[in-house]
Structure formats: C-alpha cells, structure tokens
C-alpha cells in the first residue's frame, strides 16, 4: 500500500468514526475510500466491516458518561442486534457479487434520505409512542426492529445507526447523547458479529482494514465529544448530501 492510499484511508477512517458516532453513517466515507484504493466491491465491504470494529471501541470509550447505568439494556439490545448481524453476514456471503453491486447505491441513497428526515421522523415517532423506562425488556416489535436493523448492519450498514436511533427512540425519553451512545453499541454488536464471520471466510484486506481502523478509532472517540458540544444539523446535512452524490455516481 502506497503512502497516498494509506493517508486516504486514515483520513476516511477519521471521517467515518465521526460520522458513525454522530450521525450513524460511517460507511459513506470508509466504503468509497476502499473502492478508491482498488478493492473490489465485496472485498471492500467485508474489509470495511472489520475495520469499523474500532468504531465500537472508540465510541464506547468516548461515551462512558452516557453509558453509565445502561448495562442491562445494552446487553439485551446488543444480543438481538448481534443475531441480526450474523444473518446479514450470511446473506452477503451467499449473494452473488453482481447483486451486491446493484443494491449498494440504493442502500446509500436510503441512508442519506433517512439522515435528512431524521428529525421529523423522530418527532413523528415520539408523538405516536408511549415512552418506556430504559430498563424495560424489549417488546416483541422492538426486538424485531432491532433484529432487522442488525441484519441490515451486517449486510452493508450505511445509515444503520440512523435506523437504530429511530428504533431506540421508542424505548425511553432521554437526552440525545444517551440514545446516541446506546445506538452506537447496538449497531456495533451487529458489526462485530459480521466481522467475525468475515475474518473466518471472507477476503479481508488486512493492511487496508488496519489503516482504516486506526483512523476510525480516533474519529469515533472524538464523535461523542462533538455530540455534546457542537451543532449537529450542518454536519448531518453535509453527510446526507455527500451520500446522495455518491449514490448517483455509483448508478452511472
């Protein structure tokens, strides 16, 4: 790997860590960077999943304040999401690469649109749902929703954090940084499960995964700090517009 490719992957990793921990859209930076350094689509996806394991580590370290008292909730949600991630990984590995290449732009576009409409979606959910204590056991609809988001995260994952954030808004009324921190751990569980499967049987590019993961570790540690202190909306809109531009470029 050349110096230029390594610098691109580290930079993309930092951006992915920030975007993933703040807006749930890490793959919109990391995945195209892996394509840019020459990895084919499926190899880029599995390498991306392995590299973004560091996102979970970084966000957990950066969100210790928000995660206090959340242990039981995290264990339940992570177990459900991890099961979904395993199913998603199996789906990816059993799907022809041509089918994966065809569906990726649609997944990216969906994630970008969800980023743009996140706040109205959250308000709609809040207006139609009954808040539950955050220590309550997941209801069947909530468990199914977390399972499906985990499946999506294991398969590709762009905007899986946005979907998980919307789902978790049904479980409790709490500050956004807390919900965001729980979301990061739940989606991270799906990602880690898929990464284990990919390490065993998929074409992971280890130099690229390590380089990207190093940047993602830093970015994801800084992300929760940004959520506490910086206005989120301009960054979220910029990420969404960049994702839509990427989707359009991949359709061509």
């Amino acid at each position: 790997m050349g110096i230029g490719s390594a610098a691109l992957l580290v930079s993309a990793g930092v951006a992915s860590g920030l975007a993933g921990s703040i807006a749930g859209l890490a793959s919109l930076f990391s995945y195209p960077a892996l394509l840019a350094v020459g990895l084919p689509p499926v190899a880029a996806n599995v390498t991306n999943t392995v590299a973004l394991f560091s996102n979970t580590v970084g966000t957990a370290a950066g969100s210790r304040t928000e995660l206090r008292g959340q242990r039981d909730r995290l264990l339940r949600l992570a177990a459900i999401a991890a099961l979904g991630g395993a199913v998603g990984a199996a789906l990816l590995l059993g799907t022809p690469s041509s089918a994966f290449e065809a569906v990726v732009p649609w997944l990216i576009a969906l994630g970008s649109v969800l980023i743009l409409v996140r706040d109205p979606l959250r308000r709609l959910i809040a207006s139609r749902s009954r808040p539950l204590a955050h220590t309550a056991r997941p209801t069947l609809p909530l468990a199914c929703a977390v399972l499906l988001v985990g499946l999506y995260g294991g398969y590709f994952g762009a905007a899986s954090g946005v979907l998980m954030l919307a789902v978790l808004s049904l479980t409790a009324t709490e500050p956004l940084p807390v919900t965001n921190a729980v979301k990061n751990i739940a989606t991270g569980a799906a990602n880690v499960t898929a990464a284990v499967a990919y390490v065993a049987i998929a074409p992971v590019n280890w130099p690229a995964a390590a380089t990207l993961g190093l940047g993602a570790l830093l970015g994801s540690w800084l992300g929760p700090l940004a959520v506490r202190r910086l206005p989120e909306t301009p960054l979220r809109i910029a990420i969404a517009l960049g994702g839509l531009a990427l989707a359009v470029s991949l359709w061509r």
Side-chain angles (χ1 to χ4, degrees):
M1 181 186 300
I3 295 177
S5 295
L8 173 63
L9 290 178
V10 170
S11 300
V14 173
S16 296
L18 285 168
S21 57
I22 294 172
L25 215 54
S27 293
L28 289 187
F29 288 95
S30 53
Y31 177 71
L34 290 167
L35 294 178
V37 299
L39 272 66
V42 172
N45 187 55
V46 298
T47 300
N48 183 56
T49 299
V50 172
L52 292 185
F53 165 73
S54 61
N55 258 6
T56 305
V57 177
T59 53
S63 302
R64 286 175 294 178
T65 299
E66 289 79 9
L67 293 176
R68 287 197 187 101
Q70 301 286 336
R71 179 177 176 274
D72 291 345
R73 181 189 186 191
L74 291 174
L75 288 175
R76 295 183 187 113
L77 292 174
I80 297 169
L83 176 60
V87 175
L91 181 62
L92 175 66
L93 295 174
T95 302
S97 60
S98 58
F100 177 76
E101 292 176 41
V103 77
V104 161
W106 294 98
L107 295 177
I108 293 175
L110 172 63
S112 301
V113 170
L114 287 172
I115 281 285
L116 286 174
V117 303
R118 190 198 65 180
D119 288 344
L121 179 62
R122 185 185 297 150
R123 288 193 294 268
L124 177 64
I125 292 172
S127 68
R128 297 190 177 186
S129 63
R130 182 180 65 186
L132 302 175
H134 70 263
T135 55
R137 292 183 181 277
T139 62
L140 181 59
L142 172 62
C144 290
V146 170
L147 181 70
L148 289 174
V149 175
L151 187 155
Y152 172 69
Y155 182 75
F156 183 61
S160 62
V162 178
L163 296 171
M164 190 68 77
L165 190 63
V167 168
L168 294 180
S169 68
L170 294 172
T171 66
T173 54
E174 61 193 3
L176 174 61
V178 175
T179 309
N180 192 64
V182 174
K183 171 265 293 181
N184 287 330
I185 299 302
T187 53
N191 186 81
V192 168
T193 305
V196 169
Y198 295 155
V199 165
I201 58 178
V204 177
N205 185 304
W206 286 105
T211 307
L212 182 65
L214 181 64
L217 181 64
L218 175 60
S220 60
W221 177 73
L222 294 173
L225 303 178
V227 170
R228 296 180 199 134
R229 294 177 173 83
L230 299 178
E232 177 190 348
T233 300
L235 176 61
R236 178 167 50 84
I237 292 174
I239 291 170
L241 294 178
L244 289 172
L246 173 61
V248 170
S249 70
L250 291 176
W251 271 318
R252 293 177 179 174

